[in-house]
Amino acid sequence: VSLSASISSPRDHLEAGRRALLLQRFGEVRAASERLCASLDPEDLVAQSMPDCSPLKWHLAHTTWFFEAMVLAPFAPPGEPYTPFHPRFGFLFNSYYNAIGERHQRPQRGVLTRPYAREVAAYRRAVDEAVQRLLEREALPRRDEALRIVELGLQHEQQHQELMLTDLKHLFSLNALEPAYRPPLEVSPNAPPSQGWIDFDAGVCEIGHAGAGFAFDNEMPRHRVFVEAFSLADRLVTNADYRAFVDDGGYRDPARWLDAGWAVVQREAWERPLYWRETPDGLAEFTLAGLRELTPAEPVCHLSYVEADAFARWAGARLPSEAEWECAAAGLAVEGNFVGTGWLHPAPAHSEAGRLAQMFGDVWEWTSSAYSPYPGYRPEVGALGEYNGKFMCDQLVLRGGSCASSQDHLRATYRNFFRSPDRWQFSGLRLARDR
Ligand SMILES: [Fe+2]
């Protein structure tokens, strides 16, 4: 036995360390999805409340399919092709990847009583073990690329963890039993903090991701933008602020609304944010802790773009552009009320004069910016090119993350996006104005 064969190089040590860290993170992120369902019974996991929402069981299976389709199959060692866990799961759990093939219709995900939740759990175990075995192989062609796509799969799963909570909230909101996902929330103090403005000078600023850490393709490349002088509110818009708009007849006056907004207000008979309810005791709000008195100091949430826009103009202000938001957020720590607090609801600001509060966490902040490619944008190659690029039409960008986002999933450059009438996400706003 040659002694030298067992002595590995510093590069091998580095490589092994990187792999070990990723495998540890793999275990943590995969377990977090299952923890979200731990207090639920299988019936909760199957129903689909609207075409935009998916059953939790589908999320658990789809995020698993992603590792089969994007890692296990394409990175299988030569001569050892990957055999899928089940030959039809690719059809059931492919979300929107045309390059991979035909699939089950999205609005029909709620009819999938099979596979059972326990079979999806077995699917997850099998794929977890296969990913682990693949990454632990001594010789793996294109290992760096495989590690990068595993990280992408984990970021993808974290996006779905947030959707699991918002989709479950929508499902529960339709049930007159008013199910609670978590124990009652402490009532926040009643006086909303007063809102101040932070001023920013005009100038060239850089936005977008550069460097070694993970980012989605839609955050790149980093590039220059010119921003006119503007001011940004030092906290999010609160329930008290928004209630003044509602009480002022905001939902009855077409002059407040974009045309697309007024159309949806009329079509859907909107009178208030998605989860606000009139009760004999006054306005209440459906939360993941059940129905609860509307708390004035908390950030308003579950607003669509058109509601955020209407409120901002009523308030004599406007929404920030994504460039303004990112210039303002540059250098701030990614701290706030994320899923890890367990609160699962936006919390009141603790404002300090001269400082931006709540930039990360609590609610996604609508911006006025269309979700478009940055100059020089290049989508991922292959099927993963469909991840972001093909959605760059008719959607608006949201920034900052929410109380359902994972803290280690967010960055100042992160671009979320939804259509202008969508409001089942934890979405709210922060005002901006010209200087
Ligand atoms: Fe997905």
Side-chain angles (χ1 to χ4, degrees), residues 74-98:
F75 291 97
E80 299 173 53
Y82 176 72
T83 306
F85 178 81
H86 188 287
R88 295 297 281 163
F89 280 9
F91 182 85
L92 293 182
F93 302 124
N94 176 0
S95 50
Y96 54 64
Y97 294 89
N98 294 313

Side-chain angles (χ1 to χ4, degrees), residues 58 62-63 66 95-97 156 159-160 387:
W58 189 91
H62 161 71
T63 48
F66 191 93
S95 50
Y96 54 64
Y97 294 89
H156 170 253
Q159 291 180 317
H160 277 274
Y387 196 113

